Amino acid sequence: SFPTRRSSDLAYKVARKIYEISLVSQVIVITHLPQLASLSKQHIKISKYEKNKRTYTNIKELNLEERIYEVASLISDGKVSKAQLEYASEMITNK
């Protein structure tokens, strides 16, 4: 189901609280919420893939352009548009 305005507001409140905590302590968050991901100082993408019937994990620190794309991907459920990229960029740069 599509997130309601209320759930979006709640996600922003949680994101802001985690951000406040991060100002005095190290915080590690695993999330699929763009509101949380957009506030991060450092964004690490963890993915997995299968090759020859084995599962491998890939861990990559993202640069700003990659962060914007990942947040846009979270907003759009994987189908990224120019408008979502612009919104993601705004979310990340306007903390």
Side-chain angles (χ1 to χ4, degrees):
S1 69
F2 193 78
T4 64
R5 176 77 177 148
R6 185 174 172 168
S7 65
S8 178
D9 290 345
L10 181 58
Y12 273 111
K13 287 178 183 176
V14 171
R16 282 283 168 207
K17 189 62 177 174
I18 291 171
Y19 180 75
E20 289 172 14
I21 294 168
S22 77
L23 296 174
V24 295
S25 299
Q26 181 179 23
V27 178
I28 297 171
V29 177
I30 299 170
T31 186
H32 291 99
L33 294 174
Q35 297 90 340
L36 289 177
S38 70
L39 291 177
S40 68
K41 183 176 180 181
Q42 183 179 27
H43 191 144
I44 299 171
K45 181 177 181 179
I46 301 172
S47 56
K48 64 180 182 178
Y49 64 95
E50 194 174 307
K51 184 176 178 180
N52 299 327
K53 298 183 179 183
R54 293 196 62 175
T55 302
Y56 296 90
T57 302
N58 186 41
I59 301 171
K60 182 182 187 321
E61 182 176 358
L62 303 181
N63 63 33
L64 179 59
E65 185 177 315
E66 292 166 329
R67 287 179 63 208
I68 291 169
Y69 184 86
E70 287 301 320
V71 170
S73 181
L74 292 172
I75 293 167
S76 65
D77 200 23
K79 300 173 186 169
V80 177
S81 71
K82 182 179 177 183
Q84 289 154 337
L85 287 169
E86 289 171 0
Y87 183 55
S89 178
E90 185 177 321
M91 288 175 73
I92 290 170
T93 58
N94 293 331
K95 295 180 190 173

